[in-house]
Every structure is written in structure tokens, then in C-alpha cells.
Amino acid sequence: MFVRLIRRGAFGLLVSLIFFYAVFPFYWAIVSSLRTGQALFSTDLVPHSFDVRNYVAVFAEQPFGLNILNSLLVAGTTVLLSLALAVPACYALGRIAFRGRVPLLFAFLGVSMFLGLYNRLLGLSLCYLLVTLPLTVWVLTAFMRDLPREIEEAALVDGASPLLLVWRILLPLMAPAIMATGLLAFIAAWNEFLFALTFTISSETRTVPVAIALISGATGYELPWGNVMAASVTVTLPLVVLVLIFQRRIVAGLTVGAIKT
């Protein structure tokens, strides 16, 4: 009994340390975003006052609202395109044996790099498919292989076409995996920096990671940490809320399909 209590206490302590390690940076970003001037360099864990001028400055000094909208459009388009391509692809890869399926997939991915959509949100979304499409295809393919074949065989016997089979039968069964991979693809597109920095040149087409990186002070040399923290909290909080809301579906989708090969 005593050993069991020690184990539970040690496990609880370990979980608490991991939670503190994961959450404290975000908490400190929130606290810092509510400070201005010399208060930014204070080490107090609990702020004595709250100042929202950093949040006002982020939206007033640059088109940050437009940058957030750009990120939403790019990430949302990326997720829709990834899932629209990944669902039929995972059915083909998981159920149909044919020659050249892997080279065909990589050839399709290569085409998206030469569409000439520089400094456009759609071009950025297509570039992000290079990152999100392999993830969504392989996770959904693993999930597809785990589904019983008797379901689709019964649908085919009843006269269902392959498109109807995927849309009406398999798609509802794959909802947890689709939601999990869709959210992971959204997070990847939302946080991506290198492609966004390379393929956008105007403030009207920049996404939030690039907008935060380009925040500078009035002289161009002094970095306003309060504004940076306010912008970081603004773009991170929606992701935290989404993960907290859909965490059960994320875990269910990944554990059912992603661990199988």
C-alpha cells in the first residue's frame, strides 16, 4: 500500500512537472503581453495591473487583422484541399493494388510547385500541400486499412458506386481520423513560416508568423516585446482552444489509424 502511494505521488509529480513545462511559456507570454515599459522586465509571476495597449498597438500599427484572415484562408484552404485529395487517395492506397501509385502521388505533388502563383494565398496553400498532404494521406490510409472490408463489400453488392461508397459509407466511419488529421494540417499551415516568408512579399498577403517576425519598433532597431507577446498570444489562443475542444477526437483518430502500418 505504501509503495503504491509513493508511485502515485511520483506519477502525479511527474505529470505536474510536464504540465508546468508545457504551459508556463504560454502563461508567461500572456503576462508579458499585458505589461508595458519597464514592467516588461519584471519577474513577478502575477501582474499587479493589466494593460491592453500592446494588443491595440498590434492591430493599429499594421494590418494584423488582415494577416490573421490570410492565415485562416490559407490554413482552411490547405485543410480542405488536403482532405479532398487524401480521402480518395487513402481509399486507393489502402484498398486497390495497382502499379505506379506512389510515383503518381509524388508526380501530382510536384506539379503544385510550378503553378506560378507567387505572392497569392492560393499559391501558398498549394505549397503547403507538400507538408500536409503526405501526413493526411498516410494517416487516413492506415485508418482505412483498419476498417472491415465487409462494410464496403456489402455496399458494392447493393449497387453502390466507388464514389458513393467513399462519400456515404466510408467518410462517416473515418470522421475521427479526418478531424484529427485536418486539425493537424490546420496547425501546420497556421504555424508555417519559411514558405510564407519566401512566397509573400506584401503586407496584404502575409500570414501571421511572418507578420509577427516583421514587427519592429519605431526606429526599426528596438523590438517591442510587448507587441510581439500580444500578437503571439492572439494567434496561439485559437489553436489551444481548438485542441482542447477536439482533443478526444484527435487522440481517437491518431491512435486508431496512425500506429498501424
Side-chain angles (χ1 to χ4, degrees), residues 13-243:
L13 179 61
L14 178 61
V15 172
S16 300
L17 290 175
I18 295 175
F19 179 81
F20 178 81
Y21 178 81
V23 173
F24 181 77
F26 184 62
Y27 169 77
W28 188 252
I30 296 176
V31 171
S32 300
S33 69
L34 298 172
R35 292 172 173 170
T36 57
Q38 294 299 321
L40 281 169
F41 303 97
S42 173
T43 58
D44 295 335
L45 294 178
V46 180
H48 301 290
S49 61
F50 298 94
D51 195 331
V52 297
R53 283 182 293 178
N54 292 325
Y55 291 90
V56 175
V58 166
F59 288 91
E61 296 176 359
Q62 61 185 33
F64 197 69
L66 180 60
N67 298 142
I68 293 177
L69 179 60
N70 290 340
S71 288
L72 286 173
L73 291 175
V74 170
T77 303
T78 301
V79 170
L80 292 177
L81 290 175
S82 295
L83 293 179
L85 294 173
V87 171
C90 76
Y91 176 73
L93 292 171
R95 289 292 194 255
I96 304 174
F98 61 93
R99 290 184 178 181
R101 52 183 176 180
V102 175
L104 180 63
L105 177 60
F106 281 103
F108 177 79
L109 291 176
V111 171
S112 65
M113 299 179 63
F114 303 101
L115 296 180
L117 297 176
Y118 184 72
N119 199 37
R120 296 186 180 182
L121 298 182
L122 179 58
L124 193 58
S125 299
L126 293 176
C127 291
Y128 286 172
L129 290 180
L130 297 173
V131 178
T132 60
L133 192 56
L135 170 67
T136 54
V137 167
W138 291 112
V139 172
L140 292 180
T141 299
F143 188 89
M144 175 68 68
R145 291 173 178 170
D146 192 57
L147 293 177
R149 289 181 176 270
E150 289 78 7
I151 297 177
E152 58 191 277
E153 290 174 355
L156 293 174
V157 169
D158 291 338
S161 64
L163 181 61
L164 183 64
L165 172 65
V166 173
W167 180 255
R168 299 292 298 273
I169 305 298
L170 298 179
L171 202 61
L173 296 176
M174 297 173 61
I178 290 175
M179 184 168 295
T181 54
L183 185 55
L184 292 177
F186 183 89
I187 293 174
W190 181 271
N191 291 329
E192 203 284 324
F193 176 76
L194 185 58
F195 283 166
L197 178 63
T198 305
F199 299 120
T200 57
I201 58 176
S202 62
S203 58
E204 289 76 15
T205 56
R206 291 189 183 117
T207 55
V208 285
V210 179
I212 294 175
L214 296 180
I215 291 177
S216 61
T219 62
Y221 296 98
E222 181 183 354
L223 185 64
W225 290 108
N227 291 7
V228 173
M229 290 298 180
S232 301
V233 171
T234 301
V235 301
T236 304
L237 191 58
L239 299 183
V240 174
V241 173
L242 285 175
V243 171

